Amino acid sequence: MKKLFDIIFFKYETNNDFMCVFFPLDTARLRLQVDENRKAKSTPSILAEIIKEEGLLAPYRGWFPVICSLCCSNFVYFYCFHCLKAGWQRGNKSSSSADLIIGMAAGVVNVLVTTPLWVVNTRLKLQGSKFRNADIRPTNYTGIWDAFVQILRDEGLGALWNGTFPSLLLVLNPAIQFMIYEGLKRQLRRGLPRELSSVEFFIIGAVAKAVATIVTYPLQTIQSILRFGQFNESKDKSKLLSSLRSIKCLLVNRVRKYGMAGLFKGLEAKLLQTVLTAALMFLLYEKIASCTFRVMGLNKNVYEKH
């Protein structure tokens, strides 16, 4: 439990650096998710198309707002976590399970507070794109603030929280990832008198993230479509029912048009981005933890049992 919490913290700390490196992969993934008529090709082919049609810097469109949003998201997460933990510790004993629950609660607050930023980021990243779908309406935002103003004016306040429900469900993604990672690590360590190698840590980190990404990818597809805002919204009076029915309609329509593969368009780019990020993150975490314990003269295995 404690290690899960430590890795989630480490993930937040390293996410900004890795996002800078793998940002074009996220661009390719997003294009395939929202542009239904764009044919799914290999990631290099998609990026080559984007560069040819829109310029060399097109894969990095929206980079600065995304990095700013990641910084805000990290701040909200850690601030909420420490506030919730401080309140909990006034009358209760601290424990790993409590840290995990508080961490998930902080994740939910983070989603609710920062979703408007990610809605705006999605719009800015896609602005100026050469879409294959002629029904997509072009936008004309001059920046983050202008995007907020136009969305509020044209679509209403609720539009800034499009995609919130899938985002809340995706809070579980790190738990799925860690469960698989620890299970694979235990299997590999059976009968081995030595520490796992860097390559082995990299591989099991990659496999764990790949499985977690594949399991949750349809939700990520729906999240992107909802944030983009160009879909037929349900007219239910209840916001919850409207959100649930929109998600259901988007899932059903996507499957009807393109089969199950339609829910996984852009998966290759997403896997390349998240798997490489997660594998490097786990590798760095294990190496840093191992070096730290050696310097402190402690046995790492004792720590991992807690």
Side-chain angles (χ1 to χ4, degrees), residues 209-220:
K209 187 59 180 179
V211 174
T213 299
I214 291 168
V215 169
T216 60
Y217 193 77
L219 279 174
Q220 295 180 45

Side-chain angles (χ1 to χ4, degrees), residues 129-291:
S129 302
K130 303 293 184 182
F131 292 111
R132 302 294 188 268
N133 187 350
D135 294 332
I136 292 177
R137 303 182 304 275
T139 55
N140 185 28
Y141 306 128
T142 58
I144 295 175
W145 181 250
D146 185 55
F148 272 114
V149 171
Q150 287 197 44
I151 293 170
L152 281 170
R153 184 189 64 207
D154 300 335
E155 303 171 47
L157 183 63
L160 290 171
W161 276 269
N162 285 342
T164 299
F165 189 69
S167 300
L168 289 173
L169 295 178
L170 288 169
V171 170
L172 296 172
N173 185 285
I176 297 171
Q177 174 187 348
F178 176 77
M179 178 182 68
I180 296 166
Y181 175 79
E182 283 297 297
L184 289 172
K185 193 167 74 172
R186 280 194 299 271
Q187 290 295 323
L188 284 174
R189 277 181 168 171
R190 282 182 180 174
L192 284 179
R194 59 173 177 81
E195 275 290 314
L196 296 180
S197 67
S198 298
V199 173
E200 288 167 328
F201 278 128
F202 186 92
I203 290 171
I204 62 176
V207 170
K209 187 59 180 179
V211 174
T213 299
I214 291 168
V215 169
T216 60
Y217 193 77
L219 279 174
Q220 295 180 45
T221 298
I222 299 306
Q223 179 195 60
S224 296
I225 295 170
L226 290 171
R227 285 175 175 176
F228 190 38
Q230 303 204 24
F231 63 98
N232 294 321
E233 195 171 358
S234 175
K235 301 300 181 183
D236 288 299
K237 290 182 179 179
S238 167
K239 288 292 183 184
L240 178 60
L241 282 176
S242 177
S243 178
L244 291 173
R245 288 185 180 176
S246 294
I247 292 169
K248 179 186 174 183
C249 288
L250 287 169
L251 286 169
V252 170
N253 290 340
R254 195 95 169 180
V255 172
R256 282 177 179 169
K257 283 184 181 179
Y258 309 103
M260 288 300 294
L263 295 176
F264 293 91
K265 280 183 71 177
L267 178 60
E268 179 193 351
K270 183 66 177 178
L271 283 174
L272 283 171
Q273 179 203 2
T274 59
V275 168
L276 288 173
T277 298
L280 289 170
M281 180 195 74
F282 276 116
L283 174 60
L284 287 172
Y285 177 85
E286 295 289 355
K287 289 302 176 184
I288 290 170
S290 179
C291 290

